[in-house]
């Protein structure tokens, strides 16, 4: 969905008002007194929230949506800025928000390249500048302070000092890259449409369902004919085929490396895969995960993992599971993005808006 600048500006202005007015509106039905859906913020019934990124230094959460970006004060919940194409974005549909080590905000768009912002100044990168593709889905900073960029045509390594792009395609198990993370050893992990790849700076390794990635097809779902979120000819972002969910355990959308160096991978129908460097272990709906299509993963300050799925969000402390759905107050079942704040709040992005889960 792409609006013209005038329409996008009006839509986001209305959304900004909604973000302010709905602060404190608890809609949860809580079966226990601990974490609950404490607040919800509507950004429009036809608007998707695809990215949530916290910037601790400015106490900001950046909200990337299908109609632009909000800069929100974490304390007051009030919008500081709203950005659309009229302000400098190459495309209003924002799938990823990254913050590099020099403080630049990077907005990864759907078919519009990567727009970089700082102190009121904008610059957009396209393939002509070295960017791997126009479709950008993830960012991660490495140990040297440089930026990795996941796209639909491989990955980029961007040197923040020189502005130089390097591109990797053939080294990956699949060129459609959705999730990125960097571990304590500096190894970069990639969640792709065809499995998981890892680069240690010298060598590349990859894993697929044959190696243990993704749980079995417990629901007997049909195989996904478009192998994930889409192909070059199909950008429908659907999890359905003929009205039914699909299954493709090789397709990995979310990547998170925990402090112990364990990789957690969100798969398409195969639940969550855990890899300790030697062995894969999978968790699905039979274990307590609310949905087997996993879009997003975050870890809070207590080390608790949060998984955004096609049926809500699940909290996993290593032993027990707790899930939150529209019955508990989420605005929509599909949880595309999660961000854990320093105060313990967990921000959840869905279609229609954002929910805050907290005590």
């Amino acid at each position: 969905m792409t609006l013209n600048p005038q329409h996008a500006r009006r839509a986001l202005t209305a959304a900004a008002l909604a973000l302010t007015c709905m602060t404190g509106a608890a809609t949860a039905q809580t079966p226990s007194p601990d974490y609950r859906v404490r607040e919800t913020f509507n950004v429009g019934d036809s608007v998707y929230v695809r990215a949530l990124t916290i910037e601790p230094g400015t106490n900001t959460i950046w909200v990337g949506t299908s109609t632009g970006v909000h800069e929100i004060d974490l304390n007051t919940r009030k919008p500081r800025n709203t950005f659309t194409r009229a302000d400098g974005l190459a495309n209003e549909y924002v799938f990823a928000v990254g913050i590099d080590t020099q403080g630049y905000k990077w907005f990864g768009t759907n078919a519009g390249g990567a727009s970089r912002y700082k102190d009121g100044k904008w610059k957009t990168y396209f393939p002509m500048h070295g960017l791997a593709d126009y479709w950008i889905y993830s960012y991660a900073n490495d140990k040297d302070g440089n930026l990795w960029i996941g796209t639909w045509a491989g990955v980029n390594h961007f040197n923040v000092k020189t502005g130089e792009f390097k591109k990797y395609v053939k080294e990956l198990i699949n060129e459609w890259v959705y999730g990125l993370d960097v571990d304590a050893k500096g190894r970069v992990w990639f969640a792709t449409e065809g499995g998981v790849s890892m680069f240690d700076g010298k060598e590349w390794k990859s894993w697929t369902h044959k190696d243990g990635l993704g749980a079995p097809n417990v629901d007997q779902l049909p195989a996904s004919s478009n192998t994930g979120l889409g192909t070059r000819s199909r950008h429908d972002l659907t999890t359905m085929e003929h009205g039914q969910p699909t299954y493709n355990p090789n397709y990995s959308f979310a990547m998170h490396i925990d402090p112990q160096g364990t990789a957690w991978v969100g798969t398409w129908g195969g639940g969550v895969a855990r890899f300790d460097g030697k062995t894969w272990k999978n968790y699905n709906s039979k274990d307590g995960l609310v949905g087997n299509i996993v879009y997003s993963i975050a870890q809070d300050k207590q080390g608790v993992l949060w998984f955004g799925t096609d049926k809500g969000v699940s909290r996993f402390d290593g032993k027990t599971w707790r899930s939150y759905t529209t019955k508990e107050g989420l605005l929509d079942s599909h949880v595309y993005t999660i961000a854990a704040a320093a105060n313990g709040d967990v921000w959840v992005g869905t279609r229609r808006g954002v929910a805050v889960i907290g005590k």
Side-chain angles (χ1 to χ4, degrees), residues 19 32 34 61 76 99 121 140 168 172 220 228 260 286 330:
L19 277 161
S32 63
D34 54 351
I61 185 164
T76 66
I99 302 170
K121 297 180 180 179
Y168 301 92
L172 293 157
Q220 300 300 306
Q260 290 71 44
K286 289 190 174 182
L330 296 184

Side-chain angles (χ1 to χ4, degrees), residues 217-289:
N217 190 2
V218 294
D219 297 325
Q220 300 300 306
L221 300 174
S224 174
S225 63
N226 68 323
T227 65
L229 279 183
T231 66
R232 291 287 172 184
S233 61
R234 185 177 179 184
H235 299 294
D236 57 5
L237 307 174
T238 183
T239 65
M240 311 294 282
E241 184 167 296
H242 306 301
Q244 297 296 322
T246 55
Y247 175 77
N248 179 3
N250 281 325
Y251 165 61
S252 306
F253 191 60
M255 174 64 71
H256 172 73
I257 309 298
D258 69 21
Q260 290 71 44
T262 300
W264 295 83
V265 185
T267 76
W268 196 271
V272 175
R274 177 186 183 274
F275 184 57
D276 63 7
K278 296 181 179 180
T279 305
W280 289 92
K281 179 178 175 59
N282 298 292
Y283 301 89
N284 61 17
S285 54
K286 289 190 174 182
D287 300 296
L289 187 67

Side-chain angles (χ1 to χ4, degrees), residues 264 272 289 294 296-297 305-309 312-314 316 321 338:
W264 295 83
V272 175
L289 187 67
V294 180
S296 53
I297 304 172
L305 289 155
W306 296 78
F307 305 105
T309 81
V313 60
S314 288
F316 181 51
W321 294 83
I338 304 176

